[in-house]
Amino acid sequence: MLPASALSFAAYSLRRVLMDNINELVDVNNIRIGHPADNVKELADAEESGLNLFFYNVGYDGYPADGSSADPFYVRLYCLISAVGHKTREPESTGSATERDVSKGENELRMIGEIMRVLHEQPMLAVDDEQGEEIAMLQVVPHTLNLDDLNHIWSTQGDISYRLSVAYEMTLAPVPLSQRVERAPRVGGPGVLSWGAMTRAPGHERDGLIDLRPRVEAVTVETAAADWMPHIASMETLADDSRQLHYVFPVTGDNSSRPLDIVIAGAAGSTIRLYWNLWRRKTDNSIEAWREDIADTEVPAVKTLAAPAADFTPSRIDPGNIDDLCVFQVRLPAEVGAVDTKTWQAVLTAEREWSRPDPANPASTLVTRIRSNAVMFYGERP
C-alpha cells in the first residue's frame, strides 16, 4: 500500500471542503479524484449530481536557498474540477404549485457556481494528516485555461465528452511530508534593536522611549463560524488602576510567581485550554529550548467562558472597556522561578476543540484543535 503524501492529503482536503459546503453533494463518493475517463461515466449513471477532481499537473517550485536535501521541497498542484449534473424538477417560482424541468446543463452551471463561491470564500486550505494534525496551509487560486488547453486535456479522455469545468492552482504543497515540518526555532531575545555606527546632525537627536511591543486593538471573534479561533491578550493594571493590554510583556524582578491576568475572547460557554511553551537559559549558560504544552502543574489550565450578560460580549476584546468577566488568572511555568534559571521566555496560547461529523464516515467524529494567537512573556531572575 502506497504511503499517504502531501499531494494526496491536499486532494482529500479539497474534496472535504467542497463536500462540507455544497448542500447538493449528499455523499462524499459523489466527489471523485482521478481521470474524467475513469469517473465521469460512473458519476453520470448515479442518481445525484457529482464532481470529478482531475489533478492534471504538478509543478516543481524548488526549496529555500538555505535548504538541503533533508528539507521538504515545494510544488504547485493544478486541478480541473468538472461538474456532472442530472435532470431534476423544481417549483417554477417560490410558492408555485407548478414545476419545471431543470436540465443537466443548468444543474452543472449551479454546481460550478457553488464551487467558485466556496473557494472564493475559503481561499486558504488547511491540510491535515491522518491524525487530524495540520501539516500545511495551501492557497487555492483560480487558474484560467484557454480553449486550446481545455481541448488538449479532454482530447486525452477517450470518448468522454467535455463537461463544464473550472481550474484551480493549489500552492505551495511541501513534499515529502511524512511528518510535520520542523520550523526554525524562535529567537532567544524579543524586541532586539540593532543599528550601525552613525552620527546625527545637531538638532536631530531623538529622546524618548521606543516601545517595541505590538499594540492591542479591539478584536471581535466571529463565533458564528464553526472553526472560530479564540483570541487572548495579557492585561497590565497600572498604579492608577488604569489597564493596558499587551501581546509581549516583560516580567520584572521576582514577580514570576504572581498570577498573570489574561483576557480571552470566544464563544460563550466554550471550554478553553491554556498551554505554555518555555525557553530558558540556565545559570551554566545551557539552553532548554521551547518545551511545548506545559503548565505549572503539568496539566493545561481549563477555562470556561462566561455566559453573555446584557452588557457583556464574550467574543470581543475592547482595550478601552475591559470586562472582568473575560479576565482569567494563570501562572507561569514553575521552571521560570527555578534557581538554575538565568533568563527565560514563555509563550501562552489558548486552544479549543472543534468537533464535527467526518464526511467520509458520518458515524465517526473529527476533532480539530484550534489554537489562538500567542502572547509572550520574558524576564530574568534577579
Side-chain angles (χ1 to χ4, degrees), residues 40-111:
V40 168
K41 284 184 178 180
E42 292 184 16
L43 290 173
D45 292 338
E47 296 181 357
E48 298 91 10
S49 297
L51 299 176
N52 187 70
L53 311 183
F54 177 31
F55 288 85
Y56 63 91
N57 191 23
V58 179
Y60 181 73
D61 201 76
Y63 54 86
D66 59 349
S68 69
S69 59
D71 297 318
F73 59 90
Y74 293 84
V75 299
R76 299 176 185 270
L77 294 173
Y78 296 89
C79 179
L80 185 74
I81 307 178
S82 303
V84 180
H86 289 268
K87 184 178 178 181
T88 59
R89 290 182 64 81
E90 67 177 23
E92 191 165 358
S93 59
T94 304
S96 174
T98 60
E99 293 186 334
R100 72 177 183 92
D101 289 333
V102 181
S103 68
K104 295 180 180 180
E106 184 176 348
N107 275 324
E108 288 174 356
L109 283 169
R110 293 181 179 184
M111 292 290 291

Side-chain angles (χ1 to χ4, degrees), residues 19 25 61 72 127 130 159 231 289 291 298 322 336 382:
M19 177 68 195
L25 296 173
D61 201 76
V127 179
E130 294 171 327
D159 59 351
H231 197 92
R291 284 189 56 205
E298 294 299 330
I322 302 171
V336 166

Side-chain angles (χ1 to χ4, degrees), residues 186-236:
R186 299 182 183 92
V187 298
V192 176
L193 202 61
S194 62
W195 56 89
M198 63 182 111
T199 58
R200 295 181 182 271
H204 288 270
E205 298 85 356
R206 180 179 176 182
D207 298 325
L209 176 67
I210 301 177
D211 191 349
L212 300 180
R213 295 176 298 184
R215 180 179 178 182
V216 177
E217 305 286 352
V219 177
T220 299
V221 177
E222 298 296 338
T223 56
D227 58 346
W228 62 269
M229 185 183 81
H231 197 92
I232 63 174
S234 168
M235 186 180 75
E236 176 189 17

Side-chain angles (χ1 to χ4, degrees), residues 1-14 33 55 58 72-73 75 77 125-131 133-136 138 170 172-181:
M1 181 176 177
L2 288 172
S5 70
L7 305 185
S8 61
F9 283 136
Y12 177 75
S13 297
L14 177 60
I33 298 174
F55 288 85
V58 179
F73 59 90
V75 299
L77 294 173
L125 181 65
V127 179
D128 298 340
D129 62 13
E130 294 171 327
Q131 287 72 45
E133 294 289 329
E134 183 180 303
I135 55 177
L138 306 184
M170 300 168 66
L172 296 164
V175 180
L177 202 58
S178 57
Q179 60 185 7
R180 178 185 293 272
V181 176

Side-chain angles (χ1 to χ4, degrees), residues 227 282 284:
D227 58 346
K282 300 181 182 180
D284 61 2

Side-chain angles (χ1 to χ4, degrees), residues 121-149:
E121 292 175 351
Q122 302 184 37
M124 301 303 295
L125 181 65
V127 179
D128 298 340
D129 62 13
E130 294 171 327
Q131 287 72 45
E133 294 289 329
E134 183 180 303
I135 55 177
M137 182 68 73
L138 306 184
Q139 185 175 10
V140 183
V141 295
H143 182 68
T144 302
L145 295 175
N146 57 38
L147 291 177
D148 288 340
D149 295 331

Side-chain angles (χ1 to χ4, degrees), residues 15 24-32 43 46-52:
R15 183 187 190 194
E24 288 73 13
L25 296 173
V26 297
D27 190 330
V28 72
N29 292 319
N30 288 341
I31 307 177
R32 305 291 181 88
L43 290 173
E47 296 181 357
E48 298 91 10
S49 297
L51 299 176
N52 187 70

